[in-house]
Amino acid sequence: MNCANIYCIYNRRFECILDEINLDSIGMCDDCIMVNLDEYLLEAEKERQFLEFEKRLIENGN
């Protein structure tokens, strides 16, 4: 089964590794378990991506 949620622990190369899943009333996977990121890793990555975004804005004259 295809899976677009890259943060789910059951997602392997965009395929769900579970044999069966349960869907909630709006069609979302009820079995999804999200990966928790370390606070410091998360903040460092947010800062890195923000700086990259700012750099692109400056390069494009915005």
Side-chain angles (χ1 to χ4, degrees), residues 10 12-13 15 19 22 30 34 51 55-57 59:
Y10 300 119
R12 297 292 186 275
R13 296 182 189 96
E15 292 286 328
D19 291 331
N22 298 298
D30 239 358
M34 302 291 280
L51 293 172
K55 179 182 167 186
R56 283 189 305 235
L57 283 177
E59 288 172 354

Side-chain angles (χ1 to χ4, degrees), residues 1-22 29-35:
M1 174 179 307
N2 291 335
C3 177
N5 188 345
I6 62 172
Y7 298 105
C8 179
I9 65 170
Y10 300 119
N11 181 322
R12 297 292 186 275
R13 296 182 189 96
F14 298 101
E15 292 286 328
C16 182
I17 62 172
L18 294 176
D19 291 331
E20 294 182 21
I21 64 166
N22 298 298
C29 179
D30 239 358
D31 299 302
C32 177
I33 298 175
M34 302 291 280
V35 172

Side-chain angles (χ1 to χ4, degrees), residues 31-61:
D31 299 302
C32 177
I33 298 175
M34 302 291 280
V35 172
N36 288 321
L37 298 175
D38 176 85
E39 177 184 347
Y40 298 106
L41 175 64
L42 177 61
E43 289 303 317
E45 183 60 19
K46 287 167 62 175
E47 183 66 17
R48 185 192 71 76
Q49 289 191 27
F50 177 76
L51 293 172
E52 183 64 31
F53 175 72
E54 255 187 347
K55 179 182 167 186
R56 283 189 305 235
L57 283 177
I58 292 168
E59 288 172 354
N60 291 326

